[in-house]
Amino acid sequence: MEEIIEKANYCLNCKIKPCSQNGCPLGNNIPEFIKLVKEEKYKEAYNALSETTVLQAVCGRICPHKKQCQGSCVRGIKSEPVSIGDIEAYVGDKAIENNYNLFNNIENSKKRVAIIGGGPSGLTCAAFLAKQGAKVTIYERYNYLGGLLVYGIPEFRLPKDIVKNTIQKILDLGVQVEYNKELGKNLKLEELEKEYDVIFLSFGANKSVKMGVEGEELNGVYGGNELLEYNEHPNYIGKTIAVIGGGNVAMDCARTIKRLGAKEVKVIYRRAEEQMPAEEKEIKEAKEEGIEFLFQNNIVKIIGNKKVEKVELIKTELIKKEGETRLSPVNIEGSNYIIDIDYIVMALGSKPAEFVQNLGLELNKWGNIAINEKGQTSNPRIFAGGDIAGIKGTVAWAAKSGRDIAYEIMK
């Protein structure tokens, strides 16, 4: 506790609140909740956070704080920023430990809402709908809630008991859950439309993107999202694995595979280290765990007889292209070389599953469900948010999407 108070006292409680206004996607009142922590008023601090978020113990641990709230901290201009994430996680843990209620005042409404998908966006939407009195039922394809908070983020980054206890606070608001219900299989939109006033789609977009290079169809090429989601890994012991990509999924795959006994794990990224979208802390910890990084390298082709045996790489240089704000990687002619690899994991991003094309809803050019500024799809009684609607891919942005749409639904 003394350490957290010390971290809280480091905050200047700025009146302009750049950490909240510029840094936090959810707009949490950061100076206010930290001020309450300084006074050891943890329940009040939790209440202050609960005005804008319901995932305090989660976001405090996994948000890319240096790119969000801490990246906008005034103290960070000349020295280290305030440890906002640590303080938020502590408050969230206190709420779990002492069983604080998520909301104190629940409104009353007869409106019924179905939410398809129990990840960060769906859970947050459910909570803020319940706060406004709506009768909410979440339809979840698995036998547990949490989505990528459970299957997409390894235990060493986010303990599953924290996720479970955070979700329980949302369920305690009276939110109902129907497990093992999958859209397109044993769940149909037209049937839900008869039963509910509004439907909110928040089931994510977790199909791994492919590179389209020669040899990608060989055995031993895996999608990073699927590996994390289904937890069905090959035997890595004594093997060399290449992970392609530079985001947090790539880091989570690489670190998980290393823990499962791989001899070598190489992260291959076509840009420079400072351009990696993964959080700085994740990259640092991956290096400390013995993971090798091949920056400014691109895949030319995957080589093998039925199964992956080697990969041909080419070095890249970074140049400024007209009309682009950041440097672009360009292959350096003649710099090709080949390395031995047993397995390749593609962690380059994700896209919606094919069944989304059969929902009868308008899609955008990337294959996501198209929404207007209120979160409505081409069917005004169906809303969509989070990854499936192409919202920025962090937990906080997904949660903001769910929260804001909850208010639009009730309007």
Side-chain angles (χ1 to χ4, degrees):
M1 186 177 78
E2 287 179 9
E3 184 185 349
I4 286 295
I5 297 294
E6 187 178 330
K7 288 179 178 181
N9 283 331
Y10 186 63
C11 175
L12 298 172
N13 288 104
C14 304
K15 285 186 168 56
I16 55 170
K17 305 179 185 178
C19 52
S20 298
Q21 295 175 357
N22 304 331
C24 178
L26 285 153
N28 295 339
N29 192 338
I30 293 168
E32 175 62 19
F33 100 81
I34 291 180
K35 174 178 169 291
L36 291 163
V37 170
K38 289 180 184 182
E39 298 165 3
E40 298 184 39
K41 295 178 179 176
Y42 301 114
K43 189 173 191 310
E44 290 84 351
Y46 182 69
N47 291 343
L49 278 166
S50 298
E51 290 176 13
T52 47
T53 181
V54 294
L55 302 175
Q56 301 88 341
V58 171
C59 287
R61 286 175 164 84
I62 60 148
C63 271
H65 302 106
K66 286 198 172 181
K67 293 178 181 176
Q68 292 181 171
C69 55
Q70 291 175 200
S72 298
C73 176
V74 169
R75 297 222 69 154
I77 296 170
K78 293 185 178 179
S79 59
E80 285 298 309
V82 175
S83 302
I84 299 166
D86 291 347
I87 303 168
E88 182 181 5
Y90 184 83
V91 171
D93 290 353
K94 273 281 185 188
I96 291 169
E97 181 187 334
N98 295 293
N99 200 27
Y100 299 156
N101 290 331
L102 189 51
F103 301 128
N104 295 318
N105 298 311
I106 305 293
E107 297 170 32
N108 193 27
S109 169
K110 289 186 167 57
K111 294 297 180 185
R112 291 168 53 78
V113 181
I115 293 177
I116 303 176
S121 183
L123 289 167
T124 303
C125 187
F128 282 96
L129 283 170
K131 181 184 181 184
Q132 297 172 88
K135 308 298 181 282
V136 183
T137 302
I138 297 175
Y139 289 86
E140 170 56 51
R141 66 182 288 201
Y142 293 120
N143 60 358
Y144 59 85
L145 292 172
L148 65 84
L149 300 179
V150 176
Y151 62 69
I153 302 173
E155 176 80 20
F156 57 81
R157 276 224 292 147
L158 180 62
K160 299 302 172 263
D161 63 323
I162 292 293
V163 177
K164 184 179 177 182
N165 289 324
T166 299
I167 291 171
Q168 189 57 50
K169 290 196 169 298
I170 295 168
L171 299 184
D172 288 344
L173 298 170
V175 173
Q176 301 298 307
V177 187
E178 293 276 346
Y179 294 103
N180 302 306
K181 296 288 186 180
E182 188 168 352
L183 198 59
K185 292 188 177 177
N186 58 355
L187 191 64
K188 291 184 168 54
L189 279 181
E190 52 268 32
E191 291 175 6
L192 292 175
E193 279 192 272
K194 294 173 188 173
E195 190 178 345
Y196 294 91
D197 297 295
V198 171
I199 299 167
F200 176 53
L201 305 179
S202 59
F203 47 81
N206 205 40
K207 188 174 175 61
S208 292
V209 172
K210 290 188 174 182
M211 283 190 75
V213 296
E214 182 184 337
E216 202 166 8
E217 75 289 345
L218 291 170
N219 290 332
V221 179
Y222 294 91
N225 296 73
E226 288 81 3
L227 276 181
L228 293 174
E229 180 170 357
Y230 301 114
N231 200 30
E232 293 175 358
H233 295 269
N235 183 356
Y236 299 120
I237 294 173
K239 306 290 186 181
T240 300
I241 290 84
V243 177
I244 318 302
N248 280 334
V249 171
M251 296 303 99
D252 288 341
C253 286
R255 296 176 70 190
T256 297
I257 289 167
K258 187 70 175 173
R259 282 168 165 76
L260 290 172
K263 181 178 73 174
E264 290 181 80
V265 179
K266 302 176 188 289
V267 172
I268 298 170
Y269 184 56
R270 63 191 183 128
R271 299 177 186 271
E273 180 173 358
E274 56 270 21
Q275 291 179 300
M276 287 186 85
E279 195 172 359
E280 192 179 309
K281 176 173 173 279
E282 302 304 316
I283 300 167
K284 179 174 176 287
E285 290 179 359
K287 287 179 178 177
E288 289 169 354
E289 290 165 12
I291 290 161
E292 183 183 351
F293 285 78
L294 301 179
F295 297 111
Q296 290 184 235
N297 275 271
N298 206 355
I299 286 193
V300 176
K301 65 179 176 180
I302 302 165
I303 303 164
N305 180 17
K306 294 186 179 178
K307 186 193 174 301
V308 175
E309 295 170 14
K310 301 174 187 293
V311 63
E312 182 180 339
L313 302 176
I314 189 168
K315 294 186 181 295
T316 68
E317 60 179 336
L318 300 171
I319 64 169
K320 184 75 179 289
K321 290 185 177 179
E322 190 176 343
E324 293 186 2
T325 54
R326 69 171 179 166
L327 296 172
S328 298
V330 175
N331 294 343
I332 300 172
E333 194 174 339
S335 65
N336 306 50
Y337 65 105
I338 293 173
I339 59 174
D340 294 330
I341 288 292
D342 296 296
Y343 296 112
I344 291 177
V345 177
M346 295 293 179
L348 298 154
S350 59
K351 61 181 181 179
E354 281 82 2
F355 79 88
V356 172
Q357 298 169 20
N358 304 321
L359 295 177
L361 299 172
E362 189 179 319
L363 307 180
N364 64 23
K365 63 180 180 180
W366 298 283
N368 302 105
I369 295 173
I371 57 173
N372 63 16
E373 68 283 355
K374 296 178 180 179
Q376 284 171 302
T377 68
S378 51
N379 180 334
R381 285 180 56 208
I382 300 176
F383 291 68
D387 285 348
I388 196 59
I391 304 301
K392 285 186 184 181
T394 71
V395 169
W397 282 107
K400 178 188 188 300
S401 163
R403 181 198 68 196
D404 293 353
I405 288 172
Y407 286 116
E408 290 295 342
I409 286 171
M410 293 308 288
K411 283 180 190 175

